[in-house]
Short mmCIF file of all heavy atoms in Angstrom, two decimals:
data_model
loop_
_atom_site.label_atom_id
_atom_site.label_comp_id
_atom_site.label_asym_id
_atom_site.label_seq_id
_atom_site.Cartn_x
_atom_site.Cartn_y
_atom_site.Cartn_z
N MET A 1 108.60 -77.82 -26.66
CA MET A 1 108.59 -76.53 -25.95
C MET A 1 107.99 -76.74 -24.56
O MET A 1 107.09 -77.50 -24.40
CB MET A 1 107.69 -75.54 -26.73
CG MET A 1 107.54 -74.18 -26.13
SD MET A 1 106.28 -73.12 -26.94
CE MET A 1 107.27 -72.47 -28.16
N ARG A 2 108.62 -76.06 -23.60
CA ARG A 2 108.07 -75.98 -22.27
C ARG A 2 107.88 -74.59 -21.94
O ARG A 2 108.44 -73.64 -22.39
CB ARG A 2 109.01 -76.69 -21.28
CG ARG A 2 108.90 -78.14 -21.13
CD ARG A 2 109.91 -78.66 -20.20
NE ARG A 2 111.37 -78.44 -20.62
CZ ARG A 2 112.32 -77.92 -19.86
NH1 ARG A 2 112.07 -77.78 -18.61
NH2 ARG A 2 113.43 -77.80 -20.34
N VAL A 3 107.09 -74.34 -20.85
CA VAL A 3 106.96 -73.04 -20.14
C VAL A 3 107.26 -73.23 -18.87
O VAL A 3 106.82 -74.30 -18.12
CB VAL A 3 105.42 -72.66 -20.39
CG1 VAL A 3 105.18 -71.54 -19.35
CG2 VAL A 3 105.16 -72.15 -21.75
N GLN A 4 108.10 -72.23 -18.30
CA GLN A 4 108.32 -72.30 -16.87
C GLN A 4 107.90 -70.90 -16.22
O GLN A 4 108.04 -69.83 -16.93
CB GLN A 4 109.81 -72.31 -16.68
CG GLN A 4 110.49 -73.72 -16.98
CD GLN A 4 111.87 -73.76 -16.83
OE1 GLN A 4 112.67 -72.77 -16.92
NE2 GLN A 4 112.40 -74.96 -16.53
N ILE A 5 107.23 -70.97 -15.14
CA ILE A 5 106.63 -69.77 -14.51
C ILE A 5 107.24 -69.65 -13.14
O ILE A 5 107.30 -70.62 -12.25
CB ILE A 5 105.16 -69.98 -14.30
CG1 ILE A 5 104.44 -70.29 -15.72
CG2 ILE A 5 104.47 -68.67 -13.72
CD1 ILE A 5 102.96 -70.51 -15.59
N ASP A 6 107.81 -68.51 -12.83
CA ASP A 6 108.45 -68.27 -11.46
C ASP A 6 107.26 -67.93 -10.59
O ASP A 6 106.77 -66.80 -10.29
CB ASP A 6 109.36 -66.97 -11.50
CG ASP A 6 110.60 -67.29 -12.29
OD1 ASP A 6 110.97 -68.46 -12.44
OD2 ASP A 6 111.08 -66.33 -12.85
N LEU A 7 106.62 -69.00 -9.88
CA LEU A 7 105.58 -68.90 -9.16
C LEU A 7 105.64 -67.96 -7.92
O LEU A 7 104.75 -67.45 -7.45
CB LEU A 7 105.06 -70.27 -8.75
CG LEU A 7 104.63 -71.26 -9.80
CD1 LEU A 7 104.11 -72.62 -9.18
CD2 LEU A 7 103.40 -70.73 -10.62
N ASP A 8 106.99 -67.87 -7.45
CA ASP A 8 107.13 -67.01 -6.34
C ASP A 8 106.71 -65.60 -6.55
O ASP A 8 106.48 -64.79 -5.67
CB ASP A 8 108.72 -66.99 -5.94
CG ASP A 8 109.15 -68.36 -5.33
OD1 ASP A 8 108.34 -69.16 -4.97
OD2 ASP A 8 110.28 -68.58 -5.15
N TYR A 9 106.85 -65.09 -7.93
CA TYR A 9 106.45 -63.75 -8.20
C TYR A 9 105.09 -63.67 -8.84
O TYR A 9 104.82 -62.63 -9.32
CB TYR A 9 107.55 -63.26 -9.17
CG TYR A 9 108.93 -63.31 -8.53
CD1 TYR A 9 109.87 -64.27 -8.84
CD2 TYR A 9 109.36 -62.24 -7.72
CE1 TYR A 9 111.07 -64.33 -8.32
CE2 TYR A 9 110.62 -62.32 -7.13
CZ TYR A 9 111.42 -63.45 -7.42
OH TYR A 9 112.76 -63.37 -6.83
N CYS A 10 104.34 -64.71 -8.90
CA CYS A 10 103.00 -64.61 -9.50
C CYS A 10 102.13 -63.83 -8.59
O CYS A 10 102.11 -64.03 -7.42
CB CYS A 10 102.38 -66.02 -9.74
SG CYS A 10 100.72 -66.02 -10.26
N GLU A 11 101.50 -62.84 -9.19
CA GLU A 11 100.62 -61.96 -8.41
C GLU A 11 99.08 -62.29 -8.71
O GLU A 11 98.25 -61.51 -8.25
CB GLU A 11 100.87 -60.44 -8.75
CG GLU A 11 102.23 -60.13 -8.17
CD GLU A 11 102.42 -58.67 -8.19
OE1 GLU A 11 101.60 -57.90 -8.86
OE2 GLU A 11 103.30 -58.17 -7.43
N GLY A 12 98.77 -63.27 -9.39
CA GLY A 12 97.42 -63.78 -9.56
C GLY A 12 96.59 -62.84 -10.48
O GLY A 12 95.34 -62.97 -10.28
N HIS A 13 97.13 -62.28 -11.45
CA HIS A 13 96.38 -61.45 -12.39
C HIS A 13 95.56 -62.31 -13.30
O HIS A 13 94.51 -61.85 -13.77
CB HIS A 13 97.27 -60.57 -13.20
CG HIS A 13 98.16 -59.69 -12.52
ND1 HIS A 13 97.74 -58.44 -12.00
CD2 HIS A 13 99.46 -59.76 -12.17
CE1 HIS A 13 98.79 -57.97 -11.35
NE2 HIS A 13 99.85 -58.78 -11.36
N GLY A 14 95.99 -63.51 -13.51
CA GLY A 14 95.17 -64.43 -14.28
C GLY A 14 95.22 -64.12 -15.83
O GLY A 14 94.42 -64.67 -16.55
N ARG A 15 96.04 -63.30 -16.23
CA ARG A 15 96.06 -62.90 -17.63
C ARG A 15 96.60 -64.10 -18.50
O ARG A 15 96.24 -64.15 -19.72
CB ARG A 15 96.87 -61.62 -17.85
CG ARG A 15 96.28 -60.43 -17.08
CD ARG A 15 96.51 -59.21 -17.73
NE ARG A 15 96.12 -58.08 -16.74
CZ ARG A 15 96.91 -56.99 -16.58
NH1 ARG A 15 97.97 -56.77 -17.23
NH2 ARG A 15 96.36 -56.06 -15.75
N CYS A 16 97.46 -64.79 -18.03
CA CYS A 16 98.00 -66.01 -18.69
C CYS A 16 96.68 -66.86 -19.03
O CYS A 16 96.65 -67.43 -20.18
CB CYS A 16 99.02 -66.84 -17.99
SG CYS A 16 98.58 -67.18 -16.30
N HIS A 17 95.96 -67.17 -18.00
CA HIS A 17 94.75 -68.03 -18.32
C HIS A 17 93.72 -67.46 -19.23
O HIS A 17 93.27 -68.09 -20.17
CB HIS A 17 94.10 -68.34 -17.03
CG HIS A 17 92.92 -69.07 -17.19
ND1 HIS A 17 92.96 -70.56 -17.34
CD2 HIS A 17 91.63 -68.82 -17.07
CE1 HIS A 17 91.64 -70.92 -17.51
NE2 HIS A 17 90.80 -69.98 -17.32
N ALA A 18 93.65 -66.05 -19.12
CA ALA A 18 92.75 -65.33 -20.01
C ALA A 18 93.26 -65.39 -21.50
O ALA A 18 92.45 -65.52 -22.48
CB ALA A 18 92.66 -63.86 -19.54
N ALA A 19 94.51 -65.37 -21.75
CA ALA A 19 95.13 -65.37 -23.02
C ALA A 19 95.07 -66.79 -23.64
O ALA A 19 94.94 -66.94 -24.89
CB ALA A 19 96.52 -64.77 -23.03
N ALA A 20 95.32 -67.82 -22.82
CA ALA A 20 95.53 -69.07 -23.26
C ALA A 20 94.81 -70.12 -22.24
O ALA A 20 95.65 -70.73 -21.52
CB ALA A 20 97.00 -69.39 -23.55
N PRO A 21 93.52 -70.17 -22.20
CA PRO A 21 92.95 -71.00 -21.11
C PRO A 21 93.23 -72.56 -21.25
O PRO A 21 93.05 -73.34 -20.35
CB PRO A 21 91.48 -70.66 -21.25
CG PRO A 21 91.31 -70.14 -22.74
CD PRO A 21 92.59 -69.47 -23.01
N ASP A 22 93.53 -72.92 -22.48
CA ASP A 22 93.85 -74.39 -22.67
C ASP A 22 95.16 -74.76 -21.93
O ASP A 22 95.47 -75.92 -21.87
CB ASP A 22 93.89 -74.68 -24.19
CG ASP A 22 92.43 -74.60 -24.73
OD1 ASP A 22 91.49 -74.71 -24.06
OD2 ASP A 22 92.35 -74.36 -25.98
N LEU A 23 95.96 -73.79 -21.78
CA LEU A 23 97.36 -74.07 -21.40
C LEU A 23 97.65 -73.68 -19.93
O LEU A 23 98.20 -74.41 -19.19
CB LEU A 23 98.40 -73.31 -22.44
CG LEU A 23 99.69 -73.82 -22.28
CD1 LEU A 23 99.83 -75.31 -22.67
CD2 LEU A 23 100.66 -72.98 -23.27
N PHE A 24 97.27 -72.51 -19.54
CA PHE A 24 97.51 -71.95 -18.18
C PHE A 24 96.29 -72.21 -17.22
O PHE A 24 95.34 -71.61 -17.43
CB PHE A 24 97.93 -70.50 -18.32
CG PHE A 24 99.17 -70.22 -19.08
CD1 PHE A 24 98.93 -69.84 -20.46
CD2 PHE A 24 100.40 -70.40 -18.52
CE1 PHE A 24 100.13 -69.59 -21.24
CE2 PHE A 24 101.56 -70.20 -19.36
CZ PHE A 24 101.31 -69.83 -20.61
N ALA A 25 96.59 -73.04 -16.29
CA ALA A 25 95.56 -73.23 -15.26
C ALA A 25 95.77 -72.35 -14.10
O ALA A 25 96.96 -72.02 -13.88
CB ALA A 25 95.56 -74.71 -14.84
N LEU A 26 94.75 -72.05 -13.49
CA LEU A 26 94.90 -71.25 -12.22
C LEU A 26 94.37 -72.07 -11.05
O LEU A 26 93.56 -72.93 -11.19
CB LEU A 26 94.03 -69.92 -12.35
CG LEU A 26 94.30 -68.96 -13.48
CD1 LEU A 26 93.25 -67.84 -13.50
CD2 LEU A 26 95.73 -68.48 -13.48
N ASP A 27 94.95 -71.65 -9.91
CA ASP A 27 94.47 -72.36 -8.70
C ASP A 27 93.20 -71.63 -8.08
O ASP A 27 92.66 -70.60 -8.82
CB ASP A 27 95.64 -72.48 -7.52
CG ASP A 27 96.03 -71.08 -7.10
OD1 ASP A 27 95.42 -70.11 -7.17
OD2 ASP A 27 97.10 -71.13 -6.43
N ASP A 28 92.72 -72.03 -7.00
CA ASP A 28 91.47 -71.59 -6.51
C ASP A 28 91.58 -70.08 -6.12
O ASP A 28 90.56 -69.33 -6.03
CB ASP A 28 91.12 -72.26 -5.30
CG ASP A 28 90.46 -73.71 -5.54
OD1 ASP A 28 90.18 -73.92 -6.88
OD2 ASP A 28 90.53 -74.51 -4.72
N ASP A 29 92.82 -69.56 -5.87
CA ASP A 29 93.10 -68.15 -5.57
C ASP A 29 93.37 -67.31 -6.82
O ASP A 29 93.73 -66.16 -6.71
CB ASP A 29 94.10 -68.03 -4.48
CG ASP A 29 93.71 -68.79 -3.23
OD1 ASP A 29 92.45 -68.60 -2.74
OD2 ASP A 29 94.56 -69.48 -2.73
N GLY A 30 93.46 -67.90 -7.99
CA GLY A 30 93.62 -67.16 -9.23
C GLY A 30 95.18 -66.98 -9.48
O GLY A 30 95.44 -66.37 -10.42
N PHE A 31 95.93 -67.75 -8.87
CA PHE A 31 97.42 -67.80 -9.26
C PHE A 31 97.68 -68.95 -10.15
O PHE A 31 96.96 -69.88 -10.20
CB PHE A 31 98.28 -67.99 -7.85
CG PHE A 31 98.17 -66.76 -6.95
CD1 PHE A 31 97.15 -66.58 -6.11
CD2 PHE A 31 99.32 -65.88 -6.99
CE1 PHE A 31 97.06 -65.45 -5.27
CE2 PHE A 31 99.22 -64.78 -6.24
CZ PHE A 31 98.18 -64.60 -5.26
N ALA A 32 98.80 -68.85 -10.84
CA ALA A 32 99.13 -69.83 -11.84
C ALA A 32 99.29 -71.18 -11.01
O ALA A 32 99.96 -71.20 -9.94
CB ALA A 32 100.45 -69.42 -12.56
N ALA A 33 98.83 -72.23 -11.62
CA ALA A 33 98.76 -73.50 -10.85
C ALA A 33 100.09 -74.36 -10.98
O ALA A 33 100.31 -75.13 -10.08
CB ALA A 33 97.54 -74.28 -11.20
N GLN A 34 100.72 -74.18 -12.10
CA GLN A 34 101.81 -74.97 -12.44
C GLN A 34 103.15 -74.10 -12.65
O GLN A 34 103.00 -73.16 -13.37
CB GLN A 34 101.58 -75.95 -13.60
CG GLN A 34 100.42 -76.89 -13.59
CD GLN A 34 100.13 -77.56 -14.86
OE1 GLN A 34 99.40 -76.97 -15.57
NE2 GLN A 34 100.80 -78.54 -15.19
N GLY A 35 104.14 -74.66 -12.14
CA GLY A 35 105.44 -73.86 -12.51
C GLY A 35 106.07 -74.37 -13.71
O GLY A 35 106.95 -73.58 -14.14
N GLU A 36 105.74 -75.52 -14.15
CA GLU A 36 106.29 -75.91 -15.40
C GLU A 36 105.17 -76.63 -16.21
O GLU A 36 104.41 -77.46 -15.70
CB GLU A 36 107.40 -76.98 -15.17
CG GLU A 36 108.21 -77.36 -16.41
CD GLU A 36 109.62 -77.65 -16.10
OE1 GLU A 36 110.20 -77.03 -15.25
OE2 GLU A 36 110.15 -78.58 -16.87
N ILE A 37 105.16 -76.33 -17.56
CA ILE A 37 104.07 -76.91 -18.42
C ILE A 37 104.70 -77.40 -19.65
O ILE A 37 105.47 -76.63 -20.32
CB ILE A 37 103.07 -75.73 -18.75
CG1 ILE A 37 102.47 -75.12 -17.41
CG2 ILE A 37 102.03 -76.32 -19.76
CD1 ILE A 37 101.55 -73.95 -17.71
N GLU A 38 104.48 -78.57 -20.03
CA GLU A 38 104.87 -79.22 -21.27
C GLU A 38 103.86 -78.78 -22.33
O GLU A 38 102.66 -78.99 -22.13
CB GLU A 38 104.98 -80.68 -21.14
CG GLU A 38 105.57 -81.48 -22.37
CD GLU A 38 107.05 -81.08 -22.25
OE1 GLU A 38 107.71 -81.18 -21.17
OE2 GLU A 38 107.59 -80.83 -23.32
N VAL A 39 104.34 -78.09 -23.37
CA VAL A 39 103.49 -77.57 -24.34
C VAL A 39 103.28 -78.42 -25.60
O VAL A 39 104.19 -78.77 -26.25
CB VAL A 39 103.93 -76.11 -24.78
CG1 VAL A 39 102.99 -75.48 -25.88
CG2 VAL A 39 104.20 -75.19 -23.63
N PRO A 40 101.94 -78.83 -25.79
CA PRO A 40 101.70 -79.58 -27.02
C PRO A 40 102.01 -78.63 -28.30
O PRO A 40 101.65 -77.46 -28.23
CB PRO A 40 100.24 -79.97 -27.00
CG PRO A 40 99.98 -79.63 -25.53
CD PRO A 40 100.76 -78.69 -24.97
N PRO A 41 102.41 -79.33 -29.27
CA PRO A 41 102.84 -78.53 -30.51
C PRO A 41 101.64 -77.56 -30.98
O PRO A 41 101.84 -76.35 -31.41
CB PRO A 41 103.01 -79.55 -31.65
CG PRO A 41 103.54 -80.79 -30.78
CD PRO A 41 102.73 -80.68 -29.56
N ASP A 42 100.34 -78.00 -30.84
CA ASP A 42 99.30 -77.12 -31.38
C ASP A 42 98.94 -76.05 -30.34
O ASP A 42 98.18 -75.16 -30.75
CB ASP A 42 98.02 -78.07 -31.64
CG ASP A 42 97.64 -78.72 -30.24
OD1 ASP A 42 98.41 -79.05 -29.51
OD2 ASP A 42 96.35 -78.88 -30.21
N LEU A 43 99.63 -75.97 -29.29
CA LEU A 43 99.40 -74.89 -28.24
C LEU A 43 100.61 -73.99 -28.17
O LEU A 43 100.64 -73.06 -27.36
CB LEU A 43 99.00 -75.48 -26.95
CG LEU A 43 97.65 -76.06 -26.86
CD1 LEU A 43 97.34 -76.53 -25.47
CD2 LEU A 43 96.52 -75.15 -27.32
N GLU A 44 101.62 -74.17 -29.01
CA GLU A 44 102.81 -73.27 -28.81
C GLU A 44 102.55 -71.82 -29.03
O GLU A 44 102.98 -70.96 -28.35
CB GLU A 44 103.81 -73.78 -29.95
CG GLU A 44 104.43 -75.10 -29.54
CD GLU A 44 105.63 -75.52 -30.37
OE1 GLU A 44 105.87 -74.85 -31.40
OE2 GLU A 44 106.20 -76.55 -30.03
N HIS A 45 101.56 -71.41 -30.01
CA HIS A 45 101.28 -70.04 -30.16
C HIS A 45 100.49 -69.45 -28.91
O HIS A 45 100.70 -68.34 -28.57
CB HIS A 45 100.44 -69.77 -31.35
CG HIS A 45 99.02 -70.51 -31.23
ND1 HIS A 45 98.77 -71.82 -31.36
CD2 HIS A 45 97.80 -69.89 -31.06
CE1 HIS A 45 97.51 -72.14 -31.37
NE2 HIS A 45 96.90 -70.98 -31.12
N SER A 46 99.88 -70.40 -28.19
CA SER A 46 99.11 -70.05 -26.94
C SER A 46 100.10 -69.68 -25.88
O SER A 46 99.78 -68.86 -25.02
CB SER A 46 98.12 -71.06 -26.59
OG SER A 46 97.16 -71.28 -27.48
N ALA A 47 101.12 -70.59 -25.84
CA ALA A 47 102.11 -70.24 -24.90
C ALA A 47 102.81 -69.01 -25.03
O ALA A 47 103.04 -68.30 -23.96
CB ALA A 47 103.36 -71.54 -25.00
N VAL A 48 103.15 -68.60 -26.25
CA VAL A 48 103.73 -67.26 -26.54
C VAL A 48 102.74 -66.22 -26.17
O VAL A 48 103.21 -65.16 -25.52
CB VAL A 48 104.10 -67.23 -27.98
CG1 VAL A 48 104.64 -65.87 -28.31
CG2 VAL A 48 105.27 -68.28 -28.27
N ASP A 49 101.55 -66.33 -26.48
CA ASP A 49 100.49 -65.28 -26.05
C ASP A 49 100.39 -65.19 -24.65
O ASP A 49 100.30 -64.06 -24.10
CB ASP A 49 99.11 -65.76 -26.59
CG ASP A 49 98.98 -65.57 -28.11
OD1 ASP A 49 99.91 -65.05 -28.79
OD2 ASP A 49 97.97 -66.10 -28.70
N GLY A 50 100.42 -66.26 -23.96
CA GLY A 50 100.24 -66.24 -22.52
C GLY A 50 101.35 -65.63 -21.72
O GLY A 50 101.31 -64.74 -20.94
N ALA A 51 102.66 -66.00 -22.34
CA ALA A 51 103.81 -65.31 -21.73
C ALA A 51 103.79 -63.79 -21.98
O ALA A 51 104.15 -63.10 -21.05
CB ALA A 51 105.05 -65.87 -22.55
N GLY A 52 103.45 -63.35 -23.15
CA GLY A 52 103.38 -62.00 -23.37
C GLY A 52 102.29 -61.23 -22.69
O GLY A 52 102.46 -59.96 -22.40
N ALA A 53 101.25 -61.94 -22.10
CA ALA A 53 100.23 -61.27 -21.37
C ALA A 53 100.47 -61.18 -19.90
O ALA A 53 99.87 -60.28 -19.29
CB ALA A 53 98.92 -62.16 -21.60
N CYS A 54 101.38 -61.78 -19.40
CA CYS A 54 101.83 -61.78 -18.02
C CYS A 54 102.44 -60.38 -17.60
O CYS A 54 103.64 -60.12 -18.07
CB CYS A 54 102.77 -62.95 -17.59
SG CYS A 54 103.12 -62.82 -15.82
N PRO A 55 101.92 -59.64 -16.73
CA PRO A 55 102.39 -58.31 -16.52
C PRO A 55 103.64 -58.42 -15.63
O PRO A 55 104.40 -57.46 -15.63
CB PRO A 55 101.21 -57.60 -15.80
CG PRO A 55 100.38 -58.76 -15.18
CD PRO A 55 100.59 -59.84 -16.24
N MET A 56 103.87 -59.48 -15.12
CA MET A 56 105.09 -59.69 -14.13
C MET A 56 106.23 -60.26 -15.01
O MET A 56 107.35 -60.24 -14.52
CB MET A 56 104.76 -60.74 -13.10
CG MET A 56 103.69 -60.34 -12.08
SD MET A 56 104.11 -58.78 -11.30
CE MET A 56 105.35 -59.35 -10.23
N GLY A 57 105.96 -60.73 -16.22
CA GLY A 57 107.12 -61.22 -17.01
C GLY A 57 107.83 -62.41 -16.49
O GLY A 57 108.92 -62.62 -16.72
N ILE A 58 107.06 -63.27 -15.83
CA ILE A 58 107.60 -64.44 -15.23
C ILE A 58 107.38 -65.68 -15.92
O ILE A 58 107.63 -66.66 -15.41
CB ILE A 58 107.10 -64.57 -13.83
CG1 ILE A 58 105.50 -64.79 -13.75
CG2 ILE A 58 107.54 -63.40 -12.91
CD1 ILE A 58 104.99 -65.01 -12.41
N ILE A 59 106.74 -65.55 -17.13
CA ILE A 59 106.46 -66.85 -17.93
C ILE A 59 107.58 -66.83 -18.95
O ILE A 59 107.72 -66.08 -19.90
CB ILE A 59 105.02 -66.78 -18.64
CG1 ILE A 59 104.03 -66.64 -17.49
CG2 ILE A 59 104.81 -68.09 -19.31
CD1 ILE A 59 102.61 -66.49 -18.05
N HIS A 60 108.27 -67.95 -18.82
CA HIS A 60 109.45 -68.18 -19.79
C HIS A 60 109.18 -69.27 -20.77
O HIS A 60 108.94 -70.42 -20.26
CB HIS A 60 110.72 -68.33 -19.00
CG HIS A 60 111.00 -67.27 -17.99
ND1 HIS A 60 111.39 -66.00 -18.42
CD2 HIS A 60 110.83 -67.20 -16.57
CE1 HIS A 60 111.44 -65.17 -17.24
NE2 HIS A 60 111.19 -66.00 -16.16
N ILE A 61 109.48 -69.10 -22.04
CA ILE A 61 109.51 -70.10 -23.03
C ILE A 61 110.75 -70.81 -23.02
O ILE A 61 111.81 -70.13 -23.25
CB ILE A 61 109.07 -69.63 -24.39
CG1 ILE A 61 107.85 -68.66 -24.36
CG2 ILE A 61 109.03 -70.74 -25.41
CD1 ILE A 61 106.59 -69.51 -24.12
N VAL A 62 110.80 -72.13 -22.97
CA VAL A 62 112.00 -72.85 -23.02
C VAL A 62 111.91 -73.91 -24.27
O VAL A 62 111.05 -74.61 -24.44
CB VAL A 62 112.21 -73.76 -21.76
CG1 VAL A 62 113.48 -74.55 -21.82
CG2 VAL A 62 112.05 -73.01 -20.47
N ASP A 63 112.82 -73.49 -25.20
CA ASP A 63 112.91 -74.33 -26.41
C ASP A 63 114.03 -75.40 -26.25
O ASP A 63 114.89 -75.11 -25.44
CB ASP A 63 113.10 -73.55 -27.62
CG ASP A 63 111.81 -72.97 -28.22
OD1 ASP A 63 110.94 -73.79 -28.33
OD2 ASP A 63 111.69 -71.83 -28.51
N GLY A 64 114.08 -76.29 -27.13
CA GLY A 64 115.18 -77.30 -27.04
C GLY A 64 114.66 -78.59 -27.56
O GLY A 64 113.43 -78.89 -27.59
N ALA A 65 115.70 -79.40 -27.93
CA ALA A 65 115.37 -80.66 -28.47
C ALA A 65 114.68 -81.58 -27.52
O ALA A 65 113.97 -82.47 -27.87
CB ALA A 65 116.70 -81.28 -28.97
N ASP A 66 114.98 -81.50 -26.27
CA ASP A 66 114.33 -82.37 -25.19
C ASP A 66 113.20 -81.67 -24.60
O ASP A 66 112.85 -81.94 -23.53
CB ASP A 66 115.44 -82.73 -24.06
CG ASP A 66 116.02 -81.57 -23.43
OD1 ASP A 66 115.89 -80.41 -23.91
OD2 ASP A 66 116.71 -81.86 -22.41
N GLY A 67 112.61 -80.73 -25.15
CA GLY A 67 111.46 -80.09 -24.66
C GLY A 67 111.66 -78.53 -24.84
O GLY A 67 110.96 -77.84 -24.23
S1 SF4 B 1 99.57 -63.68 -15.85
FE1 SF4 B 1 101.50 -63.91 -14.70
S2 SF4 B 1 101.14 -62.87 -12.62
FE2 SF4 B 1 99.19 -63.43 -13.69
S3 SF4 B 1 98.50 -65.36 -12.88
FE3 SF4 B 1 99.54 -65.77 -14.86
S4 SF4 B 1 101.72 -66.16 -14.25
FE4 SF4 B 1 100.61 -65.16 -12.59
#
């Protein structure tokens, strides 16, 4: 599983990080730090939580055999 974030639309609410701090890092200004995150199996539920928490709806879960 991977997570993709449309950083162009990130407004820096930081709710992804609040929901799943182990997965979603923020930069110094409170915006999502990475546009693409490889999700370890034990953090998949955190990825879903973080995606659901984003008020912009810009966090996308990408499933697939190659990630
Ligand atoms: S919750 Fe969404 S808008 Fe807020 S920092 Fe995370 S990705 Fe950006």
Side-chain angles (χ1 to χ4, degrees):
M1 176 191 278
R2 274 179 300 136
V3 161
Q4 291 178 331
I5 305 176
D6 291 333
L7 294 180
D8 288 350
Y9 300 97
C10 177
E11 292 195 340
H13 303 280
R15 300 210 189 137
C16 51
H17 178 74
D22 291 339
L23 197 60
F24 296 97
L26 302 180
D27 66 17
D28 291 342
D29 297 317
F31 290 80
Q34 294 172 273
E36 186 149 331
I37 302 168
E38 193 70 44
V39 181
D42 60 325
L43 289 180
E44 289 187 353
H45 66 285
S46 297
V48 175
D49 287 350
C54 177
M56 298 299 290
I58 59 171
I59 302 178
H60 305 289
I61 305 290
V62 182
D63 270 314
D66 59 351

